[in-house]
Amino acid sequence: MNRSSIAYGIIGCGMMGQEHIRNIALLPDAHVAAIFEPDPGMLTASLAMAPGARAAASVADLLAMDEVDCVLIASPNHCHLAQLEEIAARRPLPVLVEKPLFTDAADAKRIETLGSRLPLVWVAMEYRYMPPVAAFVEQAEAVTGGIRMLTISEHRFPFLTKVGDWNRFNRNTGGTFVEKCCHFFDLMRLILKSDPIRVMASAGQAINHLDERYGDETPDILDHGYVLVDFASGARAMLELCMFAEGSRYQEELRAVGGSGKIECRVPGPGRFWPPHLGAAPVPELIVSPRNPPGPRLVETPVDPWLLAAGDHNGSTYFEHACFVAAVRGQGSVEVTLQDGWWAVVTGLAAQQSAREGRAVELASEFAVPTSA
């Protein structure tokens, strides 16, 4: 594609959609041309952030706008798959779709046909593009001499309020291990270069949202848990999630260990949540600990302030869009494929099932991998 500026059409412009708008605005060769957002307040705010963008009355209306070159889906989780299918049916365009790709195990096979019906699909996995995490991924194999154990922990704030409170119920989100944690299952698979084969989880809802009522319903989303994942390579990974730990200095911590040593990564949460009375917000850290000679080395990996100001994901959304636009132009490849998105969701669904049923879930016997995802 030879246009001087790639024009995005955005479906869904709540909090995450607006972060995407801020980061697209930082790119020299992209802009937002159209927005479909059913909530009037969110639509007004989004249009104010994207001068020149037109409001669309529906997905069909957005796709009918000739100026739109690609589509970003940032709608509620349970809408993603149907909207991908509508784009494929009405006007196949390159798509960047927010995680999770789908939310219901019964829909897993619907992913299989999308790869042949759309010219390009990129699943948004922002955590891959956080500079400290990217440095961890790049160095982990060499530092460890081959990873045998991988641990990811996230200690953070509870789920934020979303339009219509859609994120309070498993039926809309896929469950916490899908909604929140598919990022981490994607990272596990990326770092270990292997597919998961078995998942075992223990989790519950202990603190958050218990006093909330929506009609006659109480939110049913998990707020803490552990997930163990066995990989085909023989490596093991663990996720530790706590969503009532916003007092933590670091939000995400990654640790990989192998025969040669250990590497760690510590990433602070969004700067807007850091208490001002504590002074400057923490800086991301990378720690390399060889076995021989022993001696940890700590390296700070700061993120540019202008990127931190554009969103809550340590600059990753900007780097993700830069790579996506290059792929739309034919100058780069898709880095997060439909199959990557499928694995991330299926691992999360298996974790939900394991926690609910109190047993290990064998992925091969419960989920059929799409052959063309």
Side-chain angles (χ1 to χ4, degrees), residues 53-237:
R54 290 200 285 159
S58 64
V59 172
D61 186 29
L62 182 144
L63 294 172
M65 297 180 181
D66 290 338
E67 64 266 35
V68 172
D69 298 316
C70 64
V71 179
L72 163 67
I73 297 176
S75 55
N77 297 2
H78 58 290
C79 301
H80 294 175
L81 184 52
Q83 289 168 345
L84 276 169
E85 291 173 332
E86 183 172 359
I87 295 166
R90 290 183 180 275
R91 185 184 169 198
L93 288 171
V95 181
L96 175 65
V97 55
E98 261 297 342
K99 60 80 190 167
L101 192 55
F102 59 99
T103 58
D104 190 327
D107 295 333
K109 288 291 288 182
R110 291 165 63 186
I111 303 302
E112 189 163 4
T113 64
L114 286 173
S116 61
R117 297 168 61 198
L118 290 164
L120 184 160
V121 183
W122 185 306
V123 182
M125 291 290 185
E126 284 84 16
Y127 284 52
R128 287 189 180 205
Y129 297 92
M130 292 181 177
V133 174
F136 176 96
V137 173
E138 181 181 5
Q139 298 179 39
E141 187 71 16
V143 169
T144 63
I147 303 167
R148 307 312 301 170
M149 299 178 69
L150 172 65
T151 304
I152 300 176
S153 66
E154 182 172 61
H155 286 192
R156 56 161 282 163
F157 47 90
F159 280 120
L160 299 174
T161 299
K162 299 292 182 75
V163 174
D165 299 297
W166 65 266
N167 64 339
R168 294 306 197 253
F169 297 97
N170 289 331
R171 61 177 177 268
N172 297 327
T173 68
T176 298
F177 284 142
V178 173
E179 152 61 19
K180 180 80 269 307
C181 302
C182 65
H183 277 302
F184 303 125
F185 301 131
D186 175 65
L187 281 177
M188 288 177 182
R189 187 168 166 268
L190 174 70
I191 293 166
L192 295 175
K193 301 179 178 64
S194 182
D195 293 333
I197 59 173
R198 184 179 304 105
V199 176
M200 186 165 61
S202 176
Q205 184 183 15
I207 303 293
N208 297 342
H209 316 301
L210 295 174
D211 59 348
E212 298 177 8
R213 296 292 183 275
Y214 300 92
D216 60 353
E217 292 186 284
T218 302
D220 59 359
I221 46 177
L222 303 171
D223 62 10
H224 72 291
Y226 294 100
V227 183
L228 295 174
V229 187
D230 290 339
F231 282 80
S233 65
R236 292 173 173 82

Side-chain angles (χ1 to χ4, degrees), residues 280-368:
V283 174
E285 297 177 346
L286 199 67
I287 306 168
V288 174
S289 304
R291 293 182 71 189
N292 186 25
R297 301 190 303 273
L298 186 151
V299 179
E300 291 188 342
T301 57
V303 178
D304 289 337
W306 60 279
L307 289 176
L308 293 175
D312 290 341
H313 296 85
N314 282 272
S316 60
T317 306
Y318 170 83
F319 295 114
E320 180 179 62
H321 277 287
C323 294
F324 173 71
V325 167
V328 171
R329 292 186 178 281
Q331 299 168 352
S333 58
V334 174
E335 296 180 6
V336 193
T337 66
L338 281 169
Q339 191 168 76
D340 294 326
W342 186 93
W343 275 110
V345 170
V346 162
T347 309
L349 289 171
Q352 291 285 138
Q353 182 177 341
S354 175
R356 184 173 61 250
E357 299 179 2
R359 65 177 180 91
V361 174
E362 303 284 343
L363 271 64
S365 63
E366 312 237 7
F367 301 93

